[in-house]
Amino acid sequence: MTDELLMRAVQGGDLDALGDLFERYHRPVFQFLCRTIGDPAAAEDLAQEVFVRILRYRHTFDPTARFETWLFRIARNARADHFRKLPPLPVAEEDALAVADADPGPGQLLEQRVDVRQLQRALQQLPEDARDLLVLARFHGLPYQELGQLLGIEVGAVKVRVHRAMKQLRTMFFRLEDVSCVVKK
Amino acid sequence: MRCEEVRDHLASCVDCRAERNELDALWGALGDLPLAETPSSRMRERFSAMLAAERASTNLRPASRGDRRDMWTPRRMVREPLVQAALAASLLLVGVLVGRTSLGTTNGSSQSASAVADITEVRQELRDMRQMLTLSLLQQQSATERLRGVSWTSQIDQPGNEVVSALLDTLLHDPNVNVRLAAIDALRRVSDRSDVRAGTRRVVGDTSAPLLQVAAIDFLVETRDPDGPALLRALVDDRRTDEAVRGRAQWGLERLAS
């Protein structure tokens, strides 16, 4: 059954359908939040909040729209509300970004140049919109059209922003590399 | 610039080609980043507790398929120590009553008035016991237990002051928003009480919990609270109000005006 049909069932009062959506999406939502805020504990709390909001605001879902886009919009709003109440997080430390699986994998194809942690740190330091765009496009595979709906912009503008975000990431990545070289010297 | 033109430019411009290669490499590396973490099992437990609260507090249809382990079934209730104690005490009382009633029938009709009094007494005892059980559950450290306490209140015919006060306290101060949401739904039965209305009005202004604000707005509209329009207007006008809350407040204003 599609996500949208499940969500229609939730709107009709079928709570089991929400359980199915939870099984499908609690990990992607958690991953999105974890990647964009760098704090697994806060990401888990917020992911929980996302499902509470789905239930509470179920009547606002448009069944003709894509569920995943609506879901990530709720996740972004929940995160924004969370940080509105709290002081901004300090830049994530390496420990907080420690990865569960240290296996380098195909990332080594970059002639050993791309340090995974450095890339994670660079990603963390991007402005929120740019970070969201890259995480949703690259990790969650959201099509540009859906990203456009999520951000309220045209597909062409999404492409421009993704390109801009990649350039920002590259600048940040090499800046961190320079800092790292200075520290090593 | 068309694709072909871009391709031609990349073929002739070393700098742009280098930039393109770097961006491609970073894009590839991004996709290869391992998963940061996986959510803990606590997340599923909390979700189940949230669903249980929703089931307890609404008339949504029960599960018809899938995993029913998380539902509060009668069989599961019986395994709860507090419920076991209450059941044991109830059975004891019923046994004493049956025994005394049986003796009464052998001694003639003069005993029937006494039996009726006994039944009334037993009913009162059972009511007190339910209230005690509810109050005890509401004090538990686990949010799931407190949710059960809130849902138990629906089994009390006429919740006394103590239970209503405990529910109000839960509504205003419980650290878990799901428990608070269940409490506001449970308080609907006693929405004619002034303390319940006052408590709900306080929740309307609690910006730390937008979901609860939405539920409190619904409560104000359902009970047609005389202070409702002013409170909802203040929410609509306040720029800090959550967008969804503002929308609901606007809806509430329209409903109250009709």
Side-chain angles (χ1 to χ4, degrees):
Chain A
M1 191 184 275
T2 65
D3 299 339
E4 291 71 26
L5 283 176
L6 283 172
M7 194 55 217
R8 285 188 74 165
V10 174
Q11 287 180 315
D14 182 357
L15 291 185
D16 286 337
L18 184 60
D20 290 343
L21 288 170
F22 177 84
E23 290 306 328
R24 286 184 194 181
Y25 284 106
H26 77 279
R27 283 192 187 84
V29 168
F30 170 81
Q31 287 291 333
F32 166 71
L33 292 165
C34 203
R35 281 199 194 283
T36 55
I37 63 179
D39 178 351
E44 194 167 304
D45 284 346
L46 281 174
Q48 177 73 24
E49 171 71 12
V50 168
F51 286 94
V52 171
R53 288 186 183 208
I54 289 174
L55 184 60
R56 205 69 200 174
Y57 301 142
R58 58 186 179 269
H59 58 279
T60 66
F61 174 69
D62 172 5
T64 61
R66 196 171 168 209
F67 171 76
E68 199 175 3
T69 310
W70 186 67
L71 173 77
F72 282 115
R73 184 178 297 132
I74 291 178
R76 293 182 86 223
N77 288 342
R79 186 188 59 195
D81 290 345
H82 175 71
F83 286 111
R84 208 176 288 146
K85 293 177 212 157
L86 296 173
L89 280 178
V91 172
E93 295 296 330
E94 282 200 7
D95 285 349
L97 297 173
V99 293
D101 178 6
D103 182 8
Q108 286 185 333
L109 291 175
L110 288 176
E111 299 168 356
Q112 307 294 330
R113 287 186 64 208
V114 177
D115 179 290
V116 168
R117 289 192 176 186
Q118 190 167 305
L119 186 57
Q120 299 234 40
R121 289 183 66 196
L123 190 63
Q124 285 292 317
Q125 293 184 15
L126 288 183
E128 187 178 279
D129 277 352
R131 194 168 57 224
D132 282 1
L133 208 50
L134 292 185
V135 169
L136 290 171
R138 193 68 183 109
F139 299 126
H140 297 278
L142 247 65
Y144 284 170
Q145 193 174 354
E146 297 299 325
L147 285 169
Q149 284 185 12
L150 182 67
L151 302 173
I153 54 177
E154 296 295 322
V155 173
V158 174
K159 290 178 183 172
V160 170
R161 284 200 196 180
V162 168
H163 183 69
R164 226 178 263 161
M166 283 303 294
K167 286 176 83 169
Q168 283 177 292
L169 181 69
R170 185 188 59 159
T171 305
M172 198 61 74
F173 180 79
F174 286 120
R175 192 179 294 161
L176 288 171
E177 192 171 65
D178 290 344
V179 171
S180 166
C181 289
V182 170
V183 171
K184 280 175 188 167
K185 282 177 188 172
Chain B
M1 194 181 274
R2 287 182 305 180
C3 286
E4 288 166 10
E5 289 173 306
V6 172
R7 216 172 288 137
D8 289 345
H9 177 75
L10 283 174
S12 61
C13 178
V14 177
D15 289 344
C16 287
R17 201 164 55 239
E19 181 182 312
R20 162 77 186 268
N21 288 340
E22 280 176 353
L23 291 180
D24 281 350
L26 267 185
W27 184 254
L30 264 184
D32 294 333
L33 284 179
L35 295 179
E37 292 274 348
T38 50
S40 73
S41 58
R42 207 163 52 95
M43 191 174 166
R44 184 173 273 103
E45 289 166 15
R46 288 164 70 191
F47 176 74
S48 298
M50 188 264 284
L51 276 192
E54 186 65 20
R55 284 199 172 101
S57 60
T58 67
N59 292 322
L60 292 175
R61 66 187 169 87
S64 55
R65 60 190 164 82
D67 189 352
R68 298 174 69 102
R69 280 174 299 175
D70 298 321
M71 290 189 66
W72 199 26
T73 59
R75 186 176 293 178
R76 186 170 171 185
M77 280 168 63
V78 171
R79 289 203 299 268
E80 297 294 321
L82 277 169
V83 178
Q84 284 174 346
L87 283 174
S90 309
L91 284 173
L92 180 65
L93 281 169
V94 170
V96 169
L97 175 68
V98 169
R100 289 175 68 172
T101 308
S102 304
L103 282 173
T105 54
T106 59
N107 294 337
S109 60
S110 63
Q111 295 292 329
S112 59
S114 166
V116 170
D118 283 343
I119 289 171
T120 310
E121 193 181 332
V122 169
R123 280 184 180 151
Q124 183 59 42
E125 292 275 357
L126 282 172
R127 191 176 298 128
D128 291 347
M129 203 167 296
R130 280 200 187 112
Q131 296 217 28
M132 189 184 71
L133 184 62
T134 302
L135 292 170
S136 169
L137 285 169
L138 287 175
Q139 301 303 318
Q140 297 295 308
Q141 203 165 9
S142 150
T144 310
E145 294 299 316
R146 295 198 302 280
L147 279 171
R148 288 176 184 172
V150 173
S151 70
W152 256 93
T153 60
S154 65
Q155 303 197 13
I156 301 171
D157 296 338
Q158 293 168 328
N161 282 336
E162 225 176 336
V163 169
V164 174
S165 297
L167 278 175
L168 267 175
D169 188 61
T170 301
L171 171 64
L172 294 171
H173 306 298
D174 198 284
N176 184 301
V177 73
N178 298 328
V179 181
R180 296 177 74 190
L181 283 168
I184 198 168
D185 286 327
L187 284 166
R188 281 195 161 84
R189 307 170 55 204
V190 286
S191 60
D192 53 331
R193 289 177 56 132
S194 60
D195 53 348
V196 171
R197 287 177 174 231
T200 311
R201 285 195 290 269
R202 278 178 64 186
V203 171
V204 170
D206 183 355
T207 54
S208 68
L211 293 178
L212 205 57
Q213 284 182 292
V214 169
I217 290 168
D218 291 351
F219 189 100
L220 286 187
V221 172
E222 279 170 30
T223 57
R224 302 199 75 80
D225 193 300
D227 292 335
L231 283 168
L232 298 184
R233 173 56 58 200
L235 276 180
V236 170
D237 292 344
D238 190 343
R239 290 178 60 194
R240 294 164 303 172
T241 301
D242 179 271
E243 200 179 322
V245 175
R246 179 180 289 111
R248 198 63 178 173
Q250 186 63 49
W251 167 86
L253 273 174
E254 288 161 10
R255 288 288 297 269
L256 288 174
S258 61

